[in-house]
Amino acid sequence: MSNPSFSQSKSKLINALSAGDLLQAGELAEQFMLRFPDKPEAHYFSGLHSLLAQENGKAVQQLEVALGFDDKNLNVLLNLGVAYQRLGKMDAATQAYLAVLAIVPVNIQALINLGSCHYQKKSFLECKEAFSKAASLAPDNSTVISGLADAERSLGNWRKAIQLYKRAITINPDDERANNNLTLMHLNLQHHGQVKEAARKAIEKNPDNIDAYIALGRAHIAEEGYEEGMDTFASAFEKKPEHPELLTAIGNNYLNIGDHSEASSWFNKALSLDSSLPVAILGMAQCLDKHDLHGQGIALLNENAESLSSLPQYWVTLSDLYWNEGEADEALRCLEKASALAPQQASLYCKMGGILSSSGNMEGADACFRQALAEQEDCIGAISGLATLKKSSLEASHVQKAHELLEKDALPDGAKGSLHSALSYYYSGNKDFSSAVAHMAEANRFQWASRVRQGWEYQQDSHQQVVATNKQLFTRQLIETGQQIGHSSDMPVFIVGMPRSGTTLTEQIMARHPSVLGVGERNYAVIALQAYQHLYAEKFSLGHAEAKKRSLTEPDSDLLHRVAEEYLTSLREQIEKANKPGVRYVVDKMPDNYMNVGWIKLLFPNASIIHARRDMRDVAISCWQTQFGMIRWACHIKHLVARFEGYLEMMAHWQNVCPDGFMNADYEVLIDDQESGSRKLLEHIGLPWDDACLKFYESDRLVRTASITQVRQPIYKTSVAKWAPYEELIPELIHPLSALMKVYR
């Protein structure tokens, strides 16, 4: 039998390729090449077979040879571009597609491929240009319209992207990519009802659509349906247990419910399948943030900046890390980057508003909250932010909107808590105390219900046990021992007390002095204690529990000095960052350090400790009204009262064992005679008076606490005895504290 002719061989090969029979096509392509090595078609079809078989390097070799025969062959150029693109050679792929368009400017496939290539290169303007040209030529091509939507989404034009995805779906209802991306857009814009509807329809059409399951689960979680979200993810996991994005979504849900270690394990599973998966890397950074390893989280994101910096969530996560690290300027810069990428995302403006209000830029904060409302008229974070800023002067339209939103049955508990909190500020500012109290109670009820689903609990007895342990460990003798073996530095200054007791005001006054730097609320003292106990366990080969006790009852001078030097290094780094070289003292205003006075006196016996005191009834009302992000004892009145009792017991002990170890600074004294009270603060740490301290409110320092508005204006006396109108409205809170006040001062 004679050998098949060139045309017969070519026809058989084309039929095998068309039928998707890659095994037969491979054999035929090899035979074709052996018989006709001087024919460009032999190299082209060999390259095409390699491309279909995902052998992209081999495909490039053969297609480049074919192109040598005819450098204007459109099919060769198009497939060569695809091979380059798969290999990550984007510049070469771009040139191949441009070569096609130079020959045939209206080639739709070349425009689609070029747009796709630019999208992978994150050249979104060029991507939009390519798909726009294609759309003008093929307005009914769903692939083209979806590609244009992707470009608009990446450029931050989310509403335009939504319209384009809808148009693509109208053209082709089965366009899974358009359906999935439309669902994602609704999720980003917090249209959770629409997300769930779209995701369920997508799953009905394709029960194996894992992206739709992920979107549905995320929508449930956004509405605080953590169990429903996990059930959805579990259904998807049964179908595809090695889907990296699904594993990451599961990890994120564990983050939401406070199980950070479990979250880390799921992110690690995802990264084992795809080491460059953006959402998994971001998840790991968030886990580090939750474990107070902010610096490590920042380092992780900086290492991956090249691949992640085009994502708004990258900048949001980095902003959170910087904020929790105390780098508020960097946090704001990151949010500005995020909003440039996603200008229609309302939550970004809310975050920016919070930081600007902390820096005293109330006009800027107001503008950000209003921009959030412009993007999303029912943005609860913006309404809450404006209420905190304006209180009684909150516009009637916003008050009405808050009431309207509270009527929505589907509103998550956390959102209800925020709205009730906002209304409590408004009504208390207008002296409608009865309404204010009602909203305070509802705000705490809903906040607690929301946080319980995130894993919150509060063991009232645990705080009392720590108080008892401290009283037993830190005797007068141990405090005196610290004078002999502790570090001699007096650079650290500690302001301790209850939250809302005037710690921020005290710090602001002191930080206006050129020799003082305020660094806000830092965990340095606790971190130093943990480091010391760890080193002690290693040095003396002890278990953790034994080392925890013996390290304090039998302190080691060498280890204390080692840990103290690391502590001082952290303070010097803060001085360098603040560009304030004349600093002599660094103030840490972590209120909860009232539990650590004994440890502080052991580590730094010469450190100044200032006890910020305020009428506990005013403190309690303020705590009851404030929705703290981390404090768990402020949502229930019985927890509040018990916390004050433990605090008083702890401070009485410190007063007994180190009566000269700290200064009591009364908030009411500062309010009544600011200059006299401020002078005493500076005298306590050995500094001369500076008139700048009288204008504490002019500081450009960023305040990271709930005391924003109080420290951004001159002293005002209406903050004294704020509890009085509430005495008979919340007797279960005020009356026990009135009794405690008799022994407080």
Side-chain angles (χ1 to χ4, degrees):
M1 180 184 295
S2 61
N3 289 326
S5 66
F6 173 81
S7 60
Q8 290 174 324
S9 297
K10 178 180 174 181
S11 179
K12 285 183 178 181
L13 179 51
I14 291 173
N15 289 337
L17 288 170
S18 300
D21 188 345
L22 294 182
L23 181 62
Q24 183 185 15
E27 295 174 353
L28 293 172
E30 186 175 353
Q31 295 170 11
F32 197 42
M33 177 69 73
L34 289 172
R35 293 201 62 220
F36 306 104
D38 57 342
K39 297 288 187 179
E41 290 90 339
H43 296 280
Y44 170 69
F45 285 114
S46 177
L48 183 57
H49 169 264
S50 296
L51 190 64
L52 293 172
Q54 302 296 321
E55 297 173 347
N56 301 309
K58 186 176 178 181
V60 166
Q61 293 176 356
Q62 294 297 333
L63 291 171
E64 284 180 340
V65 173
L67 193 65
F69 287 93
D70 180 3
D71 63 2
K72 289 183 171 51
N73 187 302
L74 299 184
N75 289 328
V76 173
L77 285 167
L78 280 170
N79 286 295
L80 182 58
V82 171
Y84 282 138
Q85 198 169 343
R86 288 181 181 175
L87 290 170
K89 298 181 178 181
M90 297 302 172
D91 290 339
T94 299
Q95 292 306 312
Y97 300 140
L98 290 174
V100 173
L101 293 169
I103 301 167
V104 184
V106 294
N107 189 297
I108 299 297
Q109 192 59 55
L111 287 168
I112 291 173
N113 290 7
L114 179 62
S116 172
C117 192
H118 283 310
Y119 185 85
Q120 285 184 262
K121 291 166 63 177
K122 297 182 173 58
S123 301
F124 300 123
L125 284 173
E126 290 84 352
C127 173
K128 177 180 176 179
E129 181 182 0
F131 279 114
S132 293
K133 288 180 180 177
S136 67
L137 297 167
D140 294 328
N141 185 316
S142 66
T143 300
V144 170
I145 304 305
S146 286
L148 183 56
D150 287 345
E152 294 287 11
R153 182 191 68 195
S154 299
L155 289 168
N157 302 323
W158 288 8
R159 289 187 175 84
K160 188 177 290 186
I162 286 175
Q163 295 305 314
L164 288 167
Y165 286 131
K166 287 180 176 178
R167 180 175 156 193
I169 293 167
T170 299
I171 296 169
N172 178 13
D174 295 325
D175 189 327
E176 191 167 286
R177 170 185 164 193
N179 277 293
N180 287 343
N181 286 338
L182 177 61
T183 303
L184 180 63
M185 295 305 304
H186 283 308
L187 191 62
N188 287 334
L189 290 170
Q190 300 178 26
H191 300 160
H192 303 130
Q194 291 169 278
V195 171
K196 289 190 287 187
E197 181 183 357
R200 287 182 179 123
K201 287 181 178 178
I203 292 170
E204 286 177 10
K205 290 181 180 179
N206 178 8
D208 294 324
N209 186 339
I210 303 300
D211 289 337
Y213 280 101
I214 293 173
L216 179 58
R218 288 179 61 191
H220 281 306
I221 291 164
E223 295 183 335
E224 299 182 5
Y226 304 110
E227 292 185 8
E228 295 92 334
M230 194 62 84
D231 287 344
T232 303
F233 295 149
S235 298
F237 188 75
E238 290 176 1
K239 297 177 178 294
K240 197 163 186 179
E242 294 193 347
H243 190 289
E245 287 84 358
L246 174 61
L247 299 179
T248 302
I250 295 172
N252 279 322
N253 200 29
Y254 278 112
L255 263 183
N256 285 319
I257 61 177
D259 194 341
H260 307 141
S261 297
E262 186 68 18
S264 295
S265 71
W266 286 93
F267 293 137
N268 279 320
K269 290 176 186 176
L271 290 169
S272 69
L273 297 171
D274 182 352
S275 61
S276 63
L277 184 65
V279 285
I281 295 171
L282 293 173
M284 287 301 298
Q286 290 169 339
C287 282
L288 291 168
D289 190 24
K290 296 298 183 183
H291 284 105
D292 291 329
L293 300 173
H294 315 304
Q296 292 183 31
I298 291 169
L300 174 63
L301 292 186
N302 285 338
E303 289 170 9
N304 292 276
E306 184 175 351
S307 60
L308 300 182
S309 58
S310 63
L311 303 174
Q313 193 56 40
Y314 166 83
W315 295 105
V316 174
T317 305
L318 191 57
S319 174
D320 289 342
L321 284 158
Y322 275 123
W323 181 246
N324 292 328
E325 183 73 357
E327 301 292 336
D329 290 323
E330 283 297 310
L332 182 61
R333 180 187 66 83
C334 290
L335 287 176
E336 289 169 346
K337 291 275 191 180
S339 65
L341 293 168
Q344 293 173 333
Q345 191 167 341
S347 62
L348 298 178
Y349 299 106
C350 289
K351 280 178 170 284
M352 291 170 68
I355 292 180
L356 287 171
S357 63
S358 293
S359 67
N361 185 351
M362 300 307 176
E363 291 185 4
D366 184 276
C368 281
F369 291 134
R370 292 183 187 282
Q371 181 63 41
L373 288 170
E375 300 298 339
Q376 182 183 334
E377 64 177 1
D378 57 354
C379 180
I380 292 170
I383 294 172
S384 180
L386 286 172
T388 304
L389 283 179
K390 293 181 170 297
K391 296 183 173 63
S392 62
S393 60
L394 183 67
E395 287 92 330
S397 60
H398 296 144
V399 176
Q400 181 181 351
K401 174 61 73 172
H403 280 291
E404 289 174 356
L405 288 170
L406 284 170
E407 295 298 318
K408 292 186 176 182
D409 294 333
L411 199 67
D413 285 344
K416 291 178 182 177
S418 294
L419 288 170
H420 279 296
S421 179
L423 290 171
S424 79
Y425 281 108
Y426 171 75
Y427 286 114
S428 63
N430 281 289
K431 302 188 185 307
D432 183 351
F433 300 113
S434 180
S435 294
V437 165
H439 285 292
M440 288 180 199
E442 287 295 274
N444 282 290
R445 182 170 72 86
F446 282 116
Q447 184 191 25
W448 184 255
S450 172
R451 294 308 181 99
V452 164
R453 285 194 287 275
Q454 296 177 348
W456 268 33
E457 60 179 350
Y458 181 69
Q459 299 297 331
Q460 184 174 303
D461 293 340
S462 296
H463 180 250
Q464 192 58 44
Q465 183 58 50
V466 175
V467 170
T469 300
N470 277 350
K471 289 173 65 178
Q472 182 181 14
L473 284 175
F474 291 102
T475 62
R476 183 187 291 264
Q477 181 181 356
L478 180 58
I479 299 297
E480 291 173 352
T481 299
Q483 293 288 341
Q484 306 301 319
I485 67 174
H487 198 287
S488 61
S489 176
D490 63 353
M491 178 189 289
V493 176
F494 299 88
I495 301 174
V496 305
M498 290 293 279
R500 316 296 285 136
S501 64
T503 56
T504 302
L505 174 62
T506 304
E507 182 207 28
Q508 286 287 97
I509 290 171
M510 299 180 74
R512 286 290 285 162
H513 195 287
S515 297
V516 178
L517 175 67
V519 294
E521 298 178 2
R522 298 284 176 165
N523 285 321
Y524 292 163
V526 173
I527 292 171
L529 176 58
Q530 293 170 345
Y532 169 65
Q533 291 171 336
H534 176 72
L535 292 170
Y536 196 97
E538 286 187 340
K539 181 174 181 177
F540 297 102
S541 301
L542 298 173
H544 175 71
E546 182 67 16
K548 190 174 181 180
K549 181 177 180 181
R550 279 181 53 183
S551 63
L552 298 173
T553 57
E554 302 173 28
D556 183 275
S557 179
D558 290 339
L559 294 183
L560 284 173
H561 279 253
R562 177 176 170 182
V563 170
E565 282 297 335
E566 292 176 355
Y567 195 117
L568 294 171
T569 296
S570 298
L571 298 189
R572 294 186 189 106
E573 289 175 353
Q574 293 298 322
I575 293 172
E576 185 178 349
K577 288 178 182 178
N579 193 26
K580 199 174 178 182
V583 163
R584 174 76 178 79
Y585 299 102
V586 180
V587 179
D588 179 339
K589 61 166 288 287
M590 174 64 76
D592 272 358
N593 274 333
Y594 77 82
M595 297 293 291
N596 301 312
V597 168
W599 160 244
I600 290 169
K601 298 305 288 185
L602 187 63
L603 185 64
F604 293 113
N606 296 321
S608 297
I609 299 177
I610 298 168
H611 175 208
R613 302 195 304 183
R614 184 184 180 189
D615 188 312
M616 288 190 295
R617 293 163 294 189
D618 282 333
V619 175
I621 287 295
S622 185
C623 287
W624 182 237
Q625 187 173 25
T626 302
Q627 287 207 306
F628 294 106
M630 299 298 294
I631 294 176
R632 302 186 179 196
W633 46 261
C635 288
H636 289 89
I637 287 178
K638 66 176 183 177
H639 293 161
L640 265 167
V641 173
R643 192 78 179 192
F644 279 98
E645 291 172 342
Y647 153 72
L648 280 182
E649 185 178 351
M650 193 75 263
M651 292 311 302
H653 175 73
W654 301 133
Q655 188 73 52
N656 181 48
V657 298
C658 51
D660 299 323
F662 55 89
M663 168 193 178
N664 290 320
D666 291 327
Y667 178 81
E668 290 80 8
V669 170
L670 278 175
I671 297 298
D672 184 60
D673 188 346
Q674 180 195 348
E675 182 171 346
S676 175
S678 300
R679 284 181 179 276
K680 289 178 181 178
L681 291 172
L682 296 178
E683 288 171 5
H684 178 67
I685 63 174
L687 285 177
W689 175 248
D690 192 299
D691 285 339
C693 295
L694 291 176
K695 297 183 178 181
F696 63 89
Y697 50 87
E698 293 183 355
S699 171
D700 60 356
R701 294 180 56 251
L702 292 176
V703 181
R704 298 181 63 254
T705 72
S707 308
I708 293 168
T709 55
Q710 288 90 333
V711 296
R712 292 312 183 200
Q713 53 189 304
I715 289 286
Y716 58 96
K717 298 187 178 183
T718 57
S719 58
V720 176
K722 292 186 70 173
W723 60 270
Y726 298 100
E727 183 171 15
E728 300 308 322
L729 293 170
I730 323 176
E732 66 274 27
L733 177 62
I734 302 300
H735 290 174
L737 296 181
S738 292
L740 290 174
M741 281 298 296
K742 295 176 182 178
V743 297
Y744 185 39
R745 296 178 181 171

